[in-house]
């Protein structure tokens, strides 16, 4: 390993400046079938997880919402309907392939009127201070190289009283569920990726990145350390997924 700072790409240790390109290659590979794989992997339950996030967001008509790592636009489409013509939704993603798929999808479904598309790095968001009523990041934080820096960036662009919601895979609450989930993640997901996308390596990375992501309490502490107040989390599907919510004081 070089003298450069290192981080994890799945179970591998890599230089910090290499991770972004490695993650980018994963999402370039899977972008065209991302929605299909989400439905197959979760049995459609990811839609319930996202609906719960939207309910806890407190977003109302006229609000400004930033959806980071917004990918193919599931959350952005729903927020677009909520905020209405006087509101604003920014779908941001660091990966141009994912952003292109999301843009095409939302244009096809006529939700594009109040949605902007921005290629952006969560660690250095290109927006002024105090810009958004709500920031969301769903299944994206584990791919960020410097999570602490990204959380501080999200805090900066939120208005006082604004909310951050982090929806992410987390640690199952029971050991039995954890063992079953490991078996599914490391055996079924790569096979599914090979059959559906022609890429098993990306889904091996997915399984590994979930295991390397901070657990519920650790992420809660990270959000508090970044400056968020009233941080709480809600486990879903036995803790396989957790929704963290924090407020900018």
């Amino acid at each position: 390993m070089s003298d450069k700072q290192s981080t994890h790409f799945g179970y591998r240790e890599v230089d910090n400046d290499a991770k972004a390109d490695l993650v980018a290659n994963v999402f370039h590979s899977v972008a065209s079938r991302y929605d299909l794989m989400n439905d197959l992997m979760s049995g459609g339950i990811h839609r319930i997880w996202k609906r719960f996030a939207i309910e806890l967001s407190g977003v109302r008509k006229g609000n400004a919402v930033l959806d980071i790592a917004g990918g193919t636009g599931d959350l952005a489409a729903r927020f677009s309907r909520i905020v209405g013509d006087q509101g604003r939704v920014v779908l941001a993603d660091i990966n141009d392939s994912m952003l292109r798929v999301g843009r095409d999808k939302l244009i096809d479904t006529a939700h594009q009127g109040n949605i902007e598309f921005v290629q952006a790095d969560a660690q250095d968001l290109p927006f002024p201070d105090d810009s958004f009523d709500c920031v969301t990041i769903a299944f994206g934080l584990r791919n960020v190289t410097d999570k602490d820096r990204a959380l501080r960036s999200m805090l900066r662009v939120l208005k006082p009283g604004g909310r951050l919601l982090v929806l992410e895979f987390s640690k199952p609450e029971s050991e039995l569920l954890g063992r079953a989930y490991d078996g599914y993640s490391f055996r079924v997901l790569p096979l599914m990726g090979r059959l559906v996308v022609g890429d098993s390596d990306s889904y091996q990375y997915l399984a590994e990145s979930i295991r390397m992501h901070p657990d519920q309490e650790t992420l809660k502490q990270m959000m508090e350390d970044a400056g968020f107040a009233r941080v709480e989390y809600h486990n879903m599907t036995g803790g396989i997924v957790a929704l963290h919510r924090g407020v900018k004081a």
Side-chain angles (χ1 to χ4, degrees), residues 45-59 65 67 74-75 78-79 82 134-139 163-168 234 236 241-245:
I45 298 173
H46 74 98
R47 300 176 186 277
I48 297 172
W49 299 333
K50 291 171 182 174
R51 189 176 306 129
F52 184 63
I54 288 170
E55 289 173 359
L56 259 65
S57 71
V59 168
V65 179
D67 183 26
D74 285 353
L75 289 178
R78 298 183 193 192
F79 282 130
I82 294 170
C134 182
V135 173
T136 59
I137 179 166
F139 306 111
R163 290 83 58 200
L164 169 67
L165 288 100
V166 180
L167 182 64
E168 189 54 90
H234 303 267
M236 293 180 279
V241 165
L243 176 66
H244 284 69
R245 183 179 185 271

Side-chain angles (χ1 to χ4, degrees), residues 145-200:
T145 301
D146 190 335
K147 297 173 179 59
D148 295 313
R149 181 174 158 193
L151 290 169
R152 293 192 298 270
S153 184
M154 296 174 206
L155 182 74
R156 179 185 63 77
V157 302
L158 274 170
K159 298 176 183 178
R163 290 83 58 200
L164 169 67
L165 288 100
V166 180
L167 182 64
E168 189 54 90
F169 294 109
S170 201
K171 184 177 179 180
E173 296 173 279
S174 81
E175 185 177 343
L176 182 62
L177 178 59
R179 286 201 301 269
Y181 185 47
D182 278 347
Y184 173 75
S185 299
F186 287 100
R187 294 184 186 133
V188 178
L189 290 188
L191 175 61
M192 195 180 297
R194 180 168 64 82
L195 294 175
V196 177
V197 186
D199 178 0
S200 61

